[in-house]
Amino acid sequence: MIGIFGGTFDPVHFGHLRAIIEVGEIFSLDQVRLIPNKTPPHRLEPSASTSMRLEMLQLAACTLSNVVIDTRELDRDGASYMIDTLSSLRSDFPEQPLLLFVGSDAFNGLTTWHRWCELFDYAHVVVMTRPGSPVQWENDFWDARQVFEAGQLARYKAGKLFFQPITQLDISASAIRKMIAEKRDPRFLLPDTVLDYIQSHHLYQNA
Ligand code: ATP
């Protein structure tokens, strides 16, 4: 099974990295593909440039095994729609279950994503519970797709919804950016290599 972990990673932090390790182990994933977005449709432009976010991700992920940084959204023009990403991943991996991991905050906005119903044609959606973002139950669509055993995900290539508790780390990129702008110390919320990069490139100086 292939894990898909999209994000802005502005910057990548231990909330992301811990989640990536845990879901890789829990679901015995063959690989986790980290997919930084270029032009996120649902939020403001990232603070750091695309190439800087990618470099920080490379610094953070280089020690993780079975993790691949996938630049397909950066290489594509226009908005980074997950439906386009999943469709291209399905072409690359026609036979394997694809697991799209989203935090509960992202899941609560899922029904605003472009062609959101069709995401389930290409992948399962696995919701990682996240501090401060209890899951809001949106519609009957979820009831029809939810499964309660992780083993079900291996049986189908796509189409199921699963909730996976992970270690709760109340860390967010926006809080880290704010801390840096306020000249506070964000150590132990993100890797030192990423923090060194942020400092040497004077990133996030303004809130
Ligand atoms: P921002 O604070 O700028 O919105 P973020 O910290 O939420 O950023 P993103 O890159 O937007 O980071 O998140 C990518 C994915 O990682 C999303 O699915 C998000 O829910 C998930 N995620 C981010 N932080 C955590 C965390 N601490 N625990 C679990 N999942 C997380």
Side-chain angles (χ1 to χ4, degrees):
M1 297 200 290
I2 310 264
I4 300 156
F5 199 108
T8 309
F9 304 115
D10 188 23
V12 58
H13 54 68
F14 285 144
H16 299 128
L17 296 166
R18 189 64 224 157
I20 289 159
I21 290 176
E22 290 188 13
V23 298
E25 290 175 349
I26 291 166
F27 296 97
S28 304
L29 299 175
D30 298 308
Q31 57 173 235
V32 181
R33 300 186 79 83
L34 306 186
I35 309 193
N37 54 34
K38 182 162 64 178
T39 318
H42 291 101
R43 48 184 294 156
L44 299 173
E45 279 289 306
S47 296
S49 70
T50 297
S51 58
M52 285 175 163
R53 289 186 292 120
L54 179 60
E55 277 168 19
M56 289 189 279
L57 198 53
Q58 284 162 340
L59 287 170
C62 64
T63 57
L64 300 178
S65 44
N66 302 331
V67 168
V68 175
I69 297 179
D70 180 327
T71 60
R72 73 186 65 216
E73 292 194 354
L74 305 182
D75 302 335
R76 208 164 67 210
D77 288 333
S80 301
Y81 290 123
M82 183 51 78
I83 189 71
D84 298 329
T85 303
L86 291 185
S87 141
S88 99
L89 282 163
R90 179 50 80 203
S91 303
D92 292 351
F93 302 99
E95 299 305 332
Q96 283 174 276
L98 299 178
L99 273 60
L100 172 63
F101 290 96
V102 293
S104 43
D105 57 316
F107 176 71
N108 287 337
L110 196 81
T111 56
T112 66
W113 291 17
H114 186 54
R115 294 164 51 198
W116 67 272
C117 289
E118 293 168 55
L119 298 172
F120 290 85
D121 295 342
Y122 297 102
H124 302 304
V125 174
V126 179
V127 184
M128 305 171 295
T129 50
R130 196 171 173 193
S133 298
V135 168
Q136 292 153 18
W137 205 246
E138 281 277 350
N139 54 37
D140 294 344
F141 189 89
W142 302 148
D143 291 324
R145 279 163 181 73
Q146 188 179 10
V147 293
F148 297 90
E149 283 174 31
Q152 294 275 20
L153 302 176
R155 248 185 254 153
Y156 304 90
K157 288 198 288 184
K160 305 296 178 198
L161 174 66
F162 188 76
F163 291 88
Q164 179 60 54
I166 56 168
T167 300
Q168 304 282 286
L169 293 176
D170 193 1
I171 303 174
S172 70
S174 42
I176 291 172
R177 294 196 299 275
K178 186 163 179 283
M179 270 184 169
I180 295 170
E182 291 172 351
K183 307 209 179 321
R184 290 159 59 210
D185 186 349
R187 275 180 306 161
F188 312 114
L189 298 176
L190 72 175
D192 286 340
T193 48
V194 175
L195 188 52
D196 289 346
Y197 183 98
I198 289 170
Q199 287 168 342
S200 64
H201 291 82
H202 310 292
L203 293 177
Y204 311 126
Q205 304 285 302
N206 303 308

